[in-house]
Amino acid sequence: MAPCVTEWVTSCTNLILSATALHSSYRLFKDHRAPSVGLFLLGLSAALCIVHPSGSYLTSIQKEAEWAGEVLAPALVSFDFLWLSEDHNTAHILLCGSCLLLGLCDWLSADALTVMTRCLGLSSLSCCLTVCLFAGNALGALSGVALSLPLLVAPKVGAITFAPLISPAAAEGLVKWLLKGSMAVGCWASTRALSMFLLDVTDRCNMGI
């Protein structure tokens, strides 16, 4: 795949993710502050990745911002599901764990950071699925899976043999595009799911259940 085409598709996927995440953040801000912040950071990092500066320092900032957005978005969405279900202790543990990972990332080795990132991704996903499956909220489960995929998928796509159908570099780019599309779907689904879940909780409270 030509470099110019690859760069163009990457910019388009980042643009779609940024627009979807920022719109979802705006819609959630009134009633769901934690997920709104997470999706805002995800959208902001995607917008930052649209620009391709030549300086390596700015490129490293882009990568760190992208990673931070991918870590916080699913964790804060799961935090709100837990909070609305009144499991405040687990919600606080998940929030503290995600913040601790962000604070310690510079002191961890690459392998340790990968392990800790995947552990946090699994924790966020399991919390979201547990709450949503018991509540019958299919969109919430979809949002948890879609937002957590980038934390769970192995980054070393080039190690897999795709020849002669596709080069390792193109395969890695394809996986990144699919993951960004998955996160865009997760942003949309989380907005609908959290609104439905809040309405369900409010109805239960009004009925005295």
Side-chain angles (χ1 to χ4, degrees), residues 33-39 41-42 67-83 90-102 116-117 119-128 143-151 190 194:
R33 297 294 172 86
S36 177
V37 171
L39 297 184
L41 292 175
L42 182 63
W67 174 77
E70 291 174 357
V71 166
L72 286 178
L76 291 178
V77 169
S78 296
F79 170 87
D80 206 50
F81 277 117
L82 290 168
W83 192 268
T90 306
H92 282 133
I93 292 173
L94 183 61
L95 180 62
C96 291
S98 59
C99 293
L100 188 63
L101 178 61
L102 292 177
M116 295 300 293
T117 300
C119 287
L120 180 62
L122 284 172
S123 299
S124 300
L125 178 59
S126 60
C127 290
C128 183
S143 70
V145 173
L147 288 173
S148 299
L149 273 181
L151 300 181
S190 62
L194 286 169

Side-chain angles (χ1 to χ4, degrees), residues 26-48:
Y26 174 76
R27 291 188 58 188
L28 290 172
F29 182 75
K30 181 179 179 181
D31 298 318
H32 308 277
R33 297 294 172 86
S36 177
V37 171
L39 297 184
F40 176 78
L41 292 175
L42 182 63
L44 191 63
S45 65
L48 186 62

Side-chain angles (χ1 to χ4, degrees), residues 26-196:
Y26 174 76
R27 291 188 58 188
L28 290 172
F29 182 75
K30 181 179 179 181
D31 298 318
H32 308 277
R33 297 294 172 86
S36 177
V37 171
L39 297 184
F40 176 78
L41 292 175
L42 182 63
L44 191 63
S45 65
L48 186 62
C49 289
I50 295 174
V51 184
H52 296 277
S54 58
S56 59
Y57 178 69
L58 290 179
T59 302
S60 66
I61 291 179
Q62 287 178 336
K63 292 179 180 179
E64 291 177 3
E66 187 178 30
W67 174 77
E70 291 174 357
V71 166
L72 286 178
L76 291 178
V77 169
S78 296
F79 170 87
D80 206 50
F81 277 117
L82 290 168
W83 192 268
L84 290 175
S85 65
E86 298 186 356
D87 190 354
H88 295 172
N89 290 333
T90 306
H92 282 133
I93 292 173
L94 183 61
L95 180 62
C96 291
S98 59
C99 293
L100 188 63
L101 178 61
L102 292 177
L104 296 178
C105 63
D106 291 335
W107 285 273
L108 296 174
S109 65
D111 291 338
L113 184 61
T114 299
V115 172
M116 295 300 293
T117 300
R118 290 183 180 174
C119 287
L120 180 62
L122 284 172
S123 299
S124 300
L125 178 59
S126 60
C127 290
C128 183
L129 289 179
T130 300
V131 174
C132 292
L133 290 178
F134 276 102
N137 194 325
L139 276 177
L142 173 64
S143 70
V145 173
L147 288 173
S148 299
L149 273 181
L151 300 181
L152 305 178
V153 174
K156 296 181 180 179
V157 183
I160 306 175
T161 303
F162 289 91
L165 297 177
I166 186 171
S167 66
E172 185 173 359
L174 178 61
V175 170
K176 288 182 179 179
W177 302 333
L178 292 175
L179 291 177
K180 289 184 183 295
S182 170
M183 286 188 289
V185 172
C187 293
W188 170 82
S190 62
T191 303
R192 297 286 302 274
L194 286 169
S195 299
M196 292 170 53

Side-chain angles (χ1 to χ4, degrees), residues 190-206:
S190 62
T191 303
R192 297 286 302 274
L194 286 169
S195 299
M196 292 170 53
F197 194 59
L198 178 61
L199 182 61
D200 184 57
V201 171
T202 303
D203 290 340
R204 287 176 178 272
C205 291
N206 293 335

